[in-house]
Amino acid sequence: MPTDTHYAFDNRADEAVDQLQVLESCLDPITASHLERLGVPVGAHCWEVGAGAGSIARLLARLVGPTGSVTATDLDPTRLAGSTGNLVVRRHDVRHEQPPGGPFDLVHARLLLLHLPERREVLATLAGALRPGGLLLIEEFDRSPLSVLTPVDPSERELFSRVIDTVLAVLGDRGADLDWGRQVHGAMTDLGLTDVHTTVRAESWSHDGGARLHDINSRQLQEPLLAAGITLDELTRFRALVRRPGFEALSYSLVSTSARRPA
């Protein structure tokens, strides 16, 4: 994950470990299913971009075996374990630096490009790092409206929507584009990639599962949320709501788009 002044979340923050763990527990099964559908052959060379805490990089390393390789990069690899076996960890700025090797059989990035104003240029860089026939998988959250699924007081439902809408506004102010996920398909087609395929996945997030992300995000973004008009009392009540036993809300939609570089 990037950690410059335009990026809302910081890998070095106290909440980052919990944030990455929640994202991995909720999203890794979805990503793994797409990798299984695409097929990652033994011996493949892969690039995991914005690798976070490295769960997908480690999965890829297992899939490609000792004859393959995985390069895991992040602007701040604080949460990544060091290089080992067929997994190489590198600090890398995908916006301004050349791809770290290649060509690659597979390039994957999750919840990365939506935060980068240079997202289209970076997408072209990732596509250009593929060998002929290589696969690109991009996964992004979408702006689709979130809703509380369990019975709550109307004032709590309004509070949930108000805080979530303000979180999205803060992210937008920092350069994120929550509409980007649904633009990836067309952007890949414009780059001349083939076999472009998009799926959208949303599910219920529980108080002890994905809904914890709302609590964590509200802590990481507390200062800009307060500056945007959310009060500390509202944040306290919001955090208690999403952590309440039995609470469930619809997740962000994860838009997963895959494509192939023409052989």
Side-chain angles (χ1 to χ4, degrees), residues 29-133:
I30 301 173
T31 300
S33 69
H34 289 302
L35 294 174
E36 181 179 5
R37 172 180 60 84
L38 294 170
V40 181
V42 172
H45 299 283
C46 306
W47 180 16
E48 176 69 8
V49 192
S55 60
I56 296 301
R58 292 189 292 273
L59 170 62
L60 288 171
R62 293 193 295 271
L63 292 175
V64 303
T67 59
S69 67
V70 177
T71 301
T73 63
D74 204 292
L75 184 57
D76 177 12
T78 302
R79 304 300 178 183
L80 283 166
S83 302
T84 178
N86 63 350
L87 175 59
V88 176
V89 173
R90 287 187 54 180
R91 184 195 179 282
H92 180 264
D93 187 343
V94 71
R95 300 166 301 175
H96 306 304
E97 298 177 322
Q98 292 298 311
F104 296 99
D105 299 288
L106 172 78
V107 176
H108 172 251
R110 188 174 74 192
L111 306 185
L112 174 68
L113 273 64
L114 72 89
H115 292 286
L116 306 180
E118 310 91 340
R119 57 189 63 87
R120 288 184 178 272
E121 293 83 356
V122 172
L123 183 68
T125 296
L126 303 186
L130 293 169
R131 68 163 179 81

Side-chain angles (χ1 to χ4, degrees), residues 213-236:
L213 184 68
H214 300 312
D215 180 0
I216 296 164
N217 287 352
S218 77
R219 296 178 190 278
Q220 284 241 46
L221 301 177
Q222 178 165 302
E223 292 306 316
L225 288 174
L226 293 174
I230 301 293
T231 68
L232 188 57
D233 176 68
E234 287 175 322
L235 286 179
T236 300

Side-chain angles (χ1 to χ4, degrees), residues 105-261:
D105 299 288
L106 172 78
V107 176
H108 172 251
R110 188 174 74 192
L111 306 185
L112 174 68
L113 273 64
L114 72 89
H115 292 286
L116 306 180
E118 310 91 340
R119 57 189 63 87
R120 288 184 178 272
E121 293 83 356
V122 172
L123 183 68
T125 296
L126 303 186
L130 293 169
R131 68 163 179 81
L135 294 163
L136 178 62
L137 175 59
I138 302 296
E139 301 183 284
E140 307 282 15
F141 276 154
D142 184 64
R143 186 188 293 277
S144 53
L146 306 188
S147 56
V148 179
L149 299 175
T150 46
V152 297
D153 186 88
S155 63
E156 293 177 320
R157 190 177 300 274
E158 189 279 333
L159 173 66
F160 178 83
S161 296
R162 173 168 151 75
V163 174
I164 293 297
D165 288 346
T166 308
V167 167
L168 296 180
V170 167
L171 294 176
D173 289 343
R174 298 192 174 197
D177 184 353
L178 273 299
D179 297 316
W180 163 246
R182 295 176 186 262
Q183 300 173 27
V184 174
H185 191 111
M188 286 185 173
T189 301
D190 289 343
L191 289 171
L193 301 178
T194 61
D195 301 331
V196 184
H197 179 77
T198 295
T199 63
V200 182
R201 170 77 177 269
E203 59 188 353
S204 58
W205 274 358
S206 64
H207 75 282
D208 56 353
R212 292 187 297 135
L213 184 68
H214 300 312
D215 180 0
I216 296 164
N217 287 352
S218 77
R219 296 178 190 278
Q220 284 241 46
L221 301 177
Q222 178 165 302
E223 292 306 316
L225 288 174
L226 293 174
I230 301 293
T231 68
L232 188 57
D233 176 68
E234 287 175 322
L235 286 179
T236 300
R237 290 189 287 116
F238 172 80
R239 292 163 184 162
L241 173 65
V242 298
R243 292 279 192 165
R244 180 186 301 165
F247 176 87
E248 293 200 18
L250 193 64
S251 69
Y252 292 107
S253 294
L254 185 69
V255 183
S256 304
T257 303
S258 60
R260 186 181 301 274
R261 182 173 181 175

